[in-house]
């Protein structure tokens, strides 16, 4: 049985401080295996229906236009991605930002790039949050390659 080394690693980043362990694992594996590292941040799609959601008895949620909100999130993400990419020495072509459902988008990009390994973090949520699904579980369901799930310990 032939085992091929990982040549291209995709790491999903969310720019949260407690997620630094995920980035550290990806960077370490990339260096050890001399593998290409691609960073991916997914801006969750915000459906237009969110604009008319009600919060208890306080009336409508005050949100900017969906397009304006997505544009603002993209601008913030681009700045954070540039900083992280520079810090890790990842070329601009391997710093990706997409809009969509996180798990599905990670799987789509992994398939498009034909990566060998996807690295995601998991906070291991339980109870009601578990019902809505964890990104790692979502990616695992449709994965076309290996998946490394890094446990994030929240304090």
């Amino acid at each position: 049985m032939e085992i091929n080394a990982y040549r291209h690693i995709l790491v999903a980043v969310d720019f949260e401080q407690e997620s630094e362990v995920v980035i550290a694992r990806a960077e370490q594996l990339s260096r050890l295996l001399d593998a290409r590292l691609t960073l991916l941040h997914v801006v969750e799609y915000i459906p237009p229906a969110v604009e008319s959601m009600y919060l208890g008895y306080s009336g409508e949620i005050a949100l900017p236009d969906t397009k304006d909100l997505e544009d603002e999130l993209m601008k913030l993400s681009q700045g954070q991605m540039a900083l992280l990419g520079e810090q890790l020495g990842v070329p601009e072509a391997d710093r990706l930002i997409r809009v969509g459902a996180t798990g599905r988008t990670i799987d789509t990009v992994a398939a498009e790039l034909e990566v060998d390994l996807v690295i995601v973090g998991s906070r291991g949520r339980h109870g009601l949050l578990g019902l809505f699904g964890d990104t790692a579980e979502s990616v695992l369901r449709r994965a076309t390659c290996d998946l490394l799930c890094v446990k994030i310990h929240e304090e």
Side-chain angles (χ1 to χ4, degrees):
M1 177 177 163
E2 183 181 332
I3 299 175
N4 296 322
Y6 297 121
R7 305 304 311 152
H8 191 176
I9 299 170
L10 175 69
V11 60
V13 297
D14 65 4
F15 307 123
E16 297 292 333
Q17 186 172 1
E18 63 267 8
S19 299
E20 289 177 358
V21 65
V22 178
I23 296 164
R25 293 280 190 273
E27 182 182 27
Q28 180 184 39
L29 277 173
S30 174
R31 269 190 277 116
L32 284 171
L33 300 170
D34 193 29
R36 176 179 168 195
L37 182 63
T38 298
L39 307 173
L40 171 65
H41 175 70
V42 180
V43 175
E44 282 281 343
Y45 172 73
I46 301 163
V50 168
E51 294 178 52
S52 60
M53 284 177 48
Y54 288 91
L55 182 61
Y57 294 104
S58 64
E60 289 190 21
I61 296 174
L63 289 176
D65 182 292
T66 302
K67 181 69 175 136
D68 292 342
L69 183 56
E70 280 182 14
D71 289 345
E72 186 64 28
L73 290 172
M74 286 296 285
K75 188 166 40 168
L76 288 170
S77 298
Q78 288 165 346
Q80 291 176 309
M81 183 63 83
L83 289 172
L84 180 60
E86 289 296 319
Q87 176 187 345
L88 298 176
V90 173
E92 283 188 46
D94 287 326
R95 303 176 198 171
L96 308 176
I97 300 173
R98 299 287 189 269
V99 176
T102 304
R104 192 173 305 269
T105 304
I106 292 169
D107 284 329
T108 299
V109 170
E112 286 172 2
L113 298 178
E114 299 178 345
V115 301
D116 307 299
L117 176 66
V118 173
I119 300 177
V120 297
S122 176
R123 291 176 172 82
R125 294 186 171 135
H126 302 287
L128 285 177
L129 289 174
L131 292 175
F132 299 115
D134 185 35
T135 298
E137 289 178 44
S138 177
V139 172
L140 183 58
R141 277 187 236 124
R142 290 180 293 279
T144 58
C145 63
D146 290 352
L147 173 68
L148 172 63
C149 183
V150 178
K151 176 75 174 148
I152 297 173
H153 297 281
E154 297 184 78
E155 298 185 20

